[in-house]
Amino acid sequence: NAGVTQTPKFQVLKTGQSMTLQCAQDMNHNSMYWYRQDPGMGLRLIYYSASEGTTDKGEVPNGYNVSRLNKREFSLRLESAAPSQTSVYFCASSEFGGPTNEKLFFGSGTQLSVL
Amino acid sequence: RKEVEQDPGPFNVPEGATVAFNCTYSNSASQSFFWYRQDCRKEPKLLMSVYSSGNEDGRFTAQLNRASQYISLLIRDSKLSDSATYLCVVSWASKIIFGSGTRLSIRP
């Protein structure tokens, strides 16, 4: 029972390089999320997808793009990485259909360093 | 102004103490409320949902005041294993926003 699978676990980029973080869930959840977490801070929402075919900006969307490829997969792309994007990235999913269905299931995170 | 605000702490209390965390949110359309726990930058885990009537789970009690847009978490008889960061979470229309977290350290 995999839950939410996030790859890669670690990545080092040079400034200006691009990369895509992959996320897949096998729980048939409608909603998926990308968060970043910087030292001493909580999680900040980058983008989310309430359902297949929709994406919306979160709190800190600048410098990122997302794709909800299908119901299972939600990818996050950095087109031109900057040192300010050094962070731990978490993907999460949720059934989201009411107060009892909003528990977030998280991937194990990606530690990204941009030099 | 952040949509969800918490006292960052850290709170450093002795084992057995009672500790309370507070959280305020700015969007009056918020529908659902939660407390998550995070250990050492691992993925957060749901501690409990917060209901308008207040709810309790063992040593943990959560309260919601919609009029004041305020959420609280009370931990009684704290254990060493309660040391973690506690995150207040608010959601509306599929958008789920975290507070910056309150760090708790329990000392023997």
Side-chain angles (χ1 to χ4, degrees):
Chain A
N1 192 2
V4 179
T5 302
Q6 194 179 330
T7 57
K9 290 191 183 304
F10 301 94
Q11 184 71 50
V12 178
L13 294 177
K14 294 181 179 178
T15 298
Q17 286 185 316
S18 62
M19 78 159 294
T20 300
L21 280 65
Q22 307 285 354
C23 178
Q25 50 91 10
D26 62 2
M27 296 170 283
N28 201 37
H29 284 168
N30 291 317
S31 302
M32 297 186 74
Y33 303 82
W34 277 106
Y35 292 91
R36 62 176 286 175
Q37 186 172 33
D38 301 314
M41 299 185 68
L43 280 70
R44 291 186 291 170
L45 182 62
I46 304 171
Y47 270 93
Y48 65 105
S49 171
S51 60
E52 185 179 357
T54 69
T55 61
D56 286 286
K57 294 179 180 179
E59 301 170 279
V60 288
N62 291 346
Y64 304 95
N65 287 301
V66 290
S67 295
R68 184 74 183 266
L69 303 168
N70 47 55
K71 193 170 186 180
R72 290 188 63 247
E73 298 172 287
F74 187 40
S75 62
L76 178 71
R77 183 160 178 84
L78 287 70
E79 290 291 351
S80 179
S84 60
Q85 294 178 305
T86 294
S87 190
V88 177
Y89 291 83
F90 288 104
C91 176
S93 71
S94 170
E95 176 63 29
F96 211 101
T100 59
N101 292 334
E102 291 170 344
K103 177 182 176 181
L104 281 169
F105 291 78
F106 282 91
S108 56
T110 297
Q111 174 70 64
L112 175 67
S113 296
V114 183
L115 306 178
Chain B
R1 181 187 171 190
K2 276 183 64 69
E3 293 183 84
V4 180
E5 299 211 53
Q6 290 182 251
D7 181 343
F11 285 57
N12 188 316
V13 302
E15 204 172 359
T18 295
V19 61
F21 303 135
N22 303 317
C23 171
T24 58
Y25 61 94
S26 60
N27 189 334
S28 59
S30 299
Q31 298 168 301
S32 301
F33 310 88
F34 310 89
W35 284 100
Y36 276 72
R37 170 192 168 128
Q38 186 178 30
D39 296 283
C40 298
R41 303 289 298 277
K42 294 184 178 178
E43 65 270 25
K45 296 189 186 301
L46 179 66
L47 181 64
M48 58 196 304
S49 301
V50 187
Y51 304 117
S52 296
S53 55
N55 48 299
E56 191 173 304
D57 182 3
R59 298 181 292 107
F60 298 85
T61 300
Q63 297 275 354
L64 167 64
N65 184 321
R66 284 189 182 269
S68 302
Q69 297 183 191
Y70 169 94
I71 307 160
S72 65
L73 176 69
L74 186 75
I75 305 175
R76 291 182 301 278
D77 188 24
S78 53
K79 312 291 185 191
L80 294 174
S81 58
D82 294 333
S83 296
T85 296
Y86 291 82
L87 300 157
C88 174
V89 180
V90 175
S91 75
W92 65 93
S94 296
K95 194 173 182 180
I96 303 179
I97 300 293
F98 283 72
S100 54
T102 300
R103 199 150 49 93
L104 173 65
S105 292
I106 307 297
R107 61 180 187 268

